[in-house]
Amino acid sequence: MSIVNAKEILLKATAGRYAVGAFNVTNIIQMEAVIEAAVNKNAPLIIQTSVTPSKFIGPKVFSAVYRTLAESAPIPICLHLDHSTDAEYCKECADAGYTNIMIDASKQVFGENVRQTKYVCDYVHNLGSITVEGELGTVSGVEDQIKVAENEAALCDPDKAIEFVEKTGVDLFAPAIGTAHGIYKTKNPKLDFDRLKIIFDLFNGKTPTIPIVIHGGTGLQPDVVKKLISLGGSKFNVSTDLKHVLIDSTYDYISSHRDEYNPGKIDKAMKEAIIKRIESWIDLFGSAGKA
Ligand code: 13P
């Protein structure tokens, strides 16, 4: 009952003008922590794995743990493959039980991005209730195996956005609007809010149809996050922040317990730190109580 694809929870979020947190995890304890936080907040949830951790743990293992935990959770939860540039790996994860797949062909020329995104959509939609995210324009920064220099980044062209969505059959749309993966160099990165509004209205002006994804959540100021949500962003991606919480909380625990050799206690300290951080993101996204 709690296993859902991304589109169904995001259409509701789009209509209600809140965002569902899409949190990248690298291991099973993080996955448990993220779910526990969302249950505490009674919030819908998207768990994401980038390609490297997905391959390291294995898509079947991630999916099996997700399904076991989600089936008994009282909230809707989606498992999303993040930024796969490999269409065949997208298919493998969909076969393994992921419920949302991102094919990221945004570095390719437009026609090739369309071709690869459509290829994944056609395959995945045939499997049943699994949805697909595509990206147009390029988001700068580093996300797992993808690196985009600032001078390579290109914002999404709204005219091309309509053509992209129509030709591919994609379910969620990630337009590049100036956000970046990783740590921002400045406190106030230059974001194109007007472009976001135009693109949102193209697809969701009258009725929510294609939910809009915001990449690069880490480091955005709370008022900026709220503005992006008010303009229609309904899937909000956070990754780097959670990596920092994991590493810092582990380091802090070990540093202050140098004579203790009890891995379970390190895991517990890390898990508690992640739960706390996810709860604060959920409060910021306005999704508490929306499960
Ligand atoms: P951050 O690492 O900047 O939070 O970005 C996350 C993201 O967009 C994952 O797709």
Side-chain angles (χ1 to χ4, degrees), residues 84-153:
S84 174
T85 53
D86 175 357
E88 297 309 314
Y89 194 64
C90 290
K91 288 160 67 179
E92 189 179 331
C93 288
D95 287 337
Y98 279 60
T99 59
N100 198 76
I101 301 291
M102 178 181 188
I103 170 72
D104 181 356
S106 61
K107 272 186 149 184
Q108 309 296 325
V109 294
F110 181 76
E112 181 58 13
N113 188 356
V114 167
R115 191 193 67 74
Q116 290 187 22
T117 305
K118 180 175 179 344
Y119 175 76
V120 171
C121 284
D122 288 350
Y123 181 86
V124 163
H125 289 157
N126 247 331
L127 295 178
S129 182
I130 307 174
T131 47
V132 178
E133 174 180 334
E135 177 172 311
L136 195 58
T138 38
V139 174
S140 70
V142 179
E143 164 51 41
D144 196 30
Q145 84 284 25
I146 301 173
K147 291 188 184 68
V148 179
E150 242 171 87
N151 61 358
E152 272 181 339

Side-chain angles (χ1 to χ4, degrees), residues 24 48 82-83 102 142-143 180-184 214-218 237-241 243:
N24 289 63
Q48 319 199 124
D82 207 26
H83 288 285
M102 178 181 188
V142 179
E143 164 51 41
H181 292 126
I183 302 291
Y184 288 94
I214 307 291
H215 282 258
T218 298
N237 290 6
V238 180
S239 176
T240 304
D241 183 51
K243 290 180 189 152

Side-chain angles (χ1 to χ4, degrees), residues 6 14 18 32 66 102-103 114 117 125-126 135 151 164 177 191 193-194 197 210 224 231 237 254-256 263:
T14 304
Y18 59 90
E32 287 177 334
Y66 153 68
M102 178 181 188
I103 170 72
V114 167
T117 305
H125 289 157
N126 247 331
E135 177 172 311
N151 61 358
F164 181 79
I177 51 148
L191 307 187
F193 296 108
D194 293 341
K197 182 170 171 13
I210 307 285
V224 171
L231 292 172
N237 290 6
I254 293 174
S255 305
S256 55

